Amino acid sequence: MAAGSCLLLLLLPSLVTASHSPPGCKIRITSKGLDLVKQEGLRFVEQELQNITVSDLHGNEGQFQYNISQVKVTDLQLAFSDLNFQPQQHLVFNINNASISLRFCRQLLYWFFYDIGSINASADGVHIYTVLQLAKDEAGRLKISNMTCNASIARMHAGFSGTLRKVYEFLSTFIVTGMRFLLSQQICPSLEHASLVLLNSLLDTVPVRNYVDEHIGIDYSLLRDPSVSTDTLDLDFKGMFFPRVREDQELENHAVEPVIKETERMVYVAFSEYFFDSAMHSYFQAGVLTIELQGEKVPKDLEVLLRATFFGTIFMLSPSVDAPLRLVLQVSAPPRCIIKPSGTSVSVSAFLNISLVPPDRPPVQLSSMAMETKLSAKVFLQGKALRVQLDLRRFRIYSKQSALESLALFSLQAPLKTLLQLTIMPIINERTKKGVQIPLPEGMDFTREVVTNHAGFLTVGADLHFSKGLREVIEKYRPVP
């Protein structure tokens, strides 16, 4: 028994570590961001409450018979509202002292007097208290998993018109009481449908697992339920790229977990070294980190220098001296990303094979040299696309055969570096130009982005902007009844 307890204590640290996988990407929404969401959400709530359907109301009290139909909401005043974070996984939407104006048709019979027309009514002191619970669903997507709602109306007034207005005013208690009850019973079901169905259809537009290009995809599934404090909402995403040829491949995350401490901007997005490493590892696994230049694509100055450098070898191959040159640059291992407070860099190891390609004859290899390069990386956000621009920082070549040949290759150092800067780097940056989408709902974009480097991760602080209204996006993706 004691031995079993000791074994459990030994395994406990590893179990805790396994249950808390570090995220490759992390998003924090602050109170300032929630204020913007509240403004857009309030417009959406107003539109939903305007579509409330109230059942017909009919009855009789002694000689007084009434029938109320075609109830329509004509105006709403929701001036006093708040949207707040509530630990641990909740959002609280609170509306106080709101008013709802109604208009409906009446059919009234009192003794032998029959009257029809319309009635304008107002519900005042409307209080709506809604709590939304956020959670990760089975697909790893953020969803509103539950909702509790409480709605009440403090008072209601109905204004009659027509010849029997004075008679009906003292009898209106029956109508007002019934209408107040029916209206209060419809508010929460309307908001429940808006939250659990319509808003969740908006959250469905957040990319979870999608393709970046023809070679790789990205997994943005949530690792756990959101963490909510009084001022922030934090979301931990897997943030792992994968090669499309092996979509089930998992790359273990040993990087530093991003830590976001700032709250000045509306939103913060953090990316660890793992995020970028998994992208480069996936491209390497897909076999696309190879660039080939042959014939006219090889810069003339470099071709002349290469032919002069390998003159002896080429002379022995006569009459193939004029055969086209072929340069094949192939990355030999997955590149590694290093993020420091001073900047972001990428270390790349590669082979450069130089060959002659005589017509109708097998290629003749002149040299195979190893290359070690360090690229500086500028990470920036444009819209919702995270982009990286690379620039050659350090470059070194050496022979795999002998130190003597490495010494002979010294004269190629500068021209090959120029080749990389002028020919290879534009090709690489063209591939990274598209970038990768950040997991935000459709219609929501970033503005005023600022990138900050830390030890092992970087953060992008930004404000939010609604390029499309909630209603527009929801109508586009509204579930079919």
Side-chain angles (χ1 to χ4, degrees):
M1 187 72 178
S5 301
C6 292
L7 181 61
L8 181 61
L9 290 174
L10 290 173
L11 291 176
L12 189 58
S14 62
L15 292 175
V16 172
T17 303
S19 65
H20 188 84
S21 302
C25 172
K26 188 168 189 170
I27 291 183
R28 163 170 289 183
I29 300 175
T30 67
S31 296
K32 292 182 179 179
L34 196 63
D35 287 340
L36 179 68
V37 174
K38 185 192 81 171
Q39 297 172 18
E40 186 64 28
L42 195 59
R43 284 192 287 269
F44 174 68
V45 169
E46 289 177 350
Q47 293 166 348
E48 285 300 303
L49 293 180
Q50 284 176 346
N51 294 325
I52 284 179
T53 57
V54 180
S55 304
D56 293 351
L57 179 66
H58 54 84
N60 62 282
E61 294 293 333
Q63 301 300 320
F64 178 56
Q65 301 178 33
Y66 56 89
N67 184 46
I68 302 301
S69 61
Q70 300 180 30
V71 181
K72 301 289 184 183
V73 176
T74 58
D75 186 45
L76 290 108
Q77 297 294 328
L78 308 179
F80 303 100
S81 62
D82 288 305
L83 181 62
N84 298 309
F85 295 120
Q86 183 188 77
Q88 299 284 326
Q89 302 165 19
H90 299 94
L91 291 177
V92 175
F93 187 54
N94 191 22
I95 298 176
N96 282 309
N97 202 26
S99 63
I100 303 176
S101 298
L102 304 169
R103 186 177 180 85
F104 44 87
C105 295
R106 72 174 189 264
Q107 291 178 320
L108 306 176
L109 177 64
Y110 184 63
W111 291 95
F112 300 107
F113 299 99
Y114 179 71
D115 189 31
I116 60 174
S118 61
I119 300 177
N120 293 320
S122 63
D124 299 319
V126 179
H127 176 68
I128 306 172
Y129 184 81
T130 305
V131 178
L132 304 177
Q133 183 171 357
L134 304 176
K136 174 182 76 74
D137 69 3
E138 293 182 358
R141 180 178 274 110
L142 178 66
K143 284 296 182 71
I144 300 172
S145 60
N146 193 24
M147 171 190 167
T148 57
C149 176
N150 184 23
S152 62
I153 300 174
R155 54 196 173 276
M156 191 161 187
H157 171 75
F160 291 86
S161 62
T163 56
L164 301 178
R165 178 173 59 86
K166 293 294 183 181
V167 176
Y168 298 138
E169 279 184 350
F170 77 94
L171 297 172
S172 65
T173 303
F174 308 114
I175 299 175
V176 169
T177 302
M179 187 57 61
R180 175 183 171 189
F181 173 78
L182 290 176
L183 181 60
S184 63
Q185 292 297 305
Q186 292 301 315
I187 291 175
C188 284
S190 177
L191 295 182
E192 183 176 354
H193 177 266
S195 301
L196 300 181
V197 178
L198 300 184
L199 287 181
N200 274 337
S201 70
L202 174 69
L203 294 175
D204 282 338
T205 66
V206 177
V208 172
R209 188 177 177 92
N210 62 330
Y211 295 139
V212 176
D213 54 30
E214 64 271 24
H215 305 295
I216 68 171
I218 187 167
D219 188 337
Y220 271 132
S221 58
L222 282 171
L223 294 174
R224 56 193 63 90
D225 289 335
S227 175
V228 183
S229 71
T230 55
D231 300 313
T232 60
L233 183 149
D234 289 341
L235 301 166
D236 290 347
F237 296 94
K238 193 171 189 177
M240 184 197 76
F241 292 83
F242 57 86
R244 293 182 61 171
V245 293
R246 294 178 59 189
E247 294 195 12
D248 58 343
Q249 177 177 284
E250 291 279 341
L251 182 64
E252 195 170 349
N253 187 353
H254 297 290
V256 174
E257 179 172 349
V259 178
I260 304 175
K261 297 181 179 180
E262 299 88 349
T263 57
E264 291 77 17
R265 295 296 188 95
M266 293 183 182
V267 63
Y268 289 89
V269 188
F271 304 94
S272 75
E273 292 174 344
Y274 172 80
F275 180 86
F276 301 100
D277 283 346
S278 67
M280 294 181 289
H281 187 273
S282 297
Y283 276 122
F284 181 79
Q285 291 290 322
V288 296
L289 297 185
T290 301
I291 296 177
E292 182 177 317
L293 301 177
Q294 182 173 323
E296 295 181 354
K297 292 184 179 181
V298 180
K300 270 297 178 189
D301 294 343
L302 179 62
E303 181 181 1
V304 171
L305 183 61
L306 289 174
R307 288 183 182 275
T309 302
F310 300 105
F311 179 79
T313 307
I314 297 174
F315 183 78
M316 296 298 294
L317 295 171
S318 181
S320 304
V321 176
D322 294 330
L325 279 175
R326 180 172 67 187
L327 277 65
V328 179
L329 180 63
Q330 182 176 8
V331 174
S332 56
R336 294 298 306 273
C337 175
I338 302 170
I339 303 176
K340 297 181 179 179
S342 57
T344 303
S345 61
V346 178
S347 297
V348 184
S349 298
F351 295 136
L352 177 61
N353 295 320
I354 304 174
S355 306
L356 282 174
V357 190
D360 302 323
R361 292 179 58 185
V364 179
Q365 182 169 302
L366 300 179
S367 180
S368 178
M369 60 188 76
M371 299 176 53
E372 291 182 357
T373 61
K374 180 166 282 191
L375 311 176
S376 62
K378 179 184 178 183
V379 181
F380 60 98
L381 205 59
Q382 190 169 12
K384 275 190 293 192
L386 182 74
R387 299 179 177 178
V388 179
Q389 185 170 358
L390 299 170
D391 189 25
L392 185 60
R393 186 174 168 185
R394 286 207 306 247
F395 172 77
R396 184 173 76 93
I397 58 172
Y398 57 93
S399 172
K400 297 186 296 180
Q401 279 76 31
S402 66
L404 185 62
E405 187 176 358
S406 295
L407 185 62
L409 294 174
F410 185 76
S411 61
L412 294 175
Q413 185 94 7
L416 284 177
K417 184 176 182 180
T418 302
L419 169 71
L420 288 175
Q421 288 175 324
L422 300 182
T423 306
I424 306 301
M425 295 308 300
I427 296 175
I428 296 175
N429 283 322
E430 184 63 29
R431 291 181 178 178
T432 62
K433 185 177 180 180
K434 180 182 177 182
V436 60
Q437 185 180 353
I438 304 302
L440 278 185
E442 183 176 335
M444 189 179 291
D445 293 319
F446 295 106
T447 61
R448 300 176 61 238
E449 308 90 348
V450 176
V451 178
T452 306
N453 279 47
H454 304 272
F457 66 95
L458 59 85
T459 60
V460 182
D463 289 335
L464 292 172
H465 166 70
F466 280 96
S467 58
K468 298 179 182 178
L470 288 178
R471 174 63 56 184
E472 180 183 354
V473 179
I474 287 173
E475 288 298 330
K476 179 179 178 181
Y477 295 98
R478 178 186 286 270
V480 178

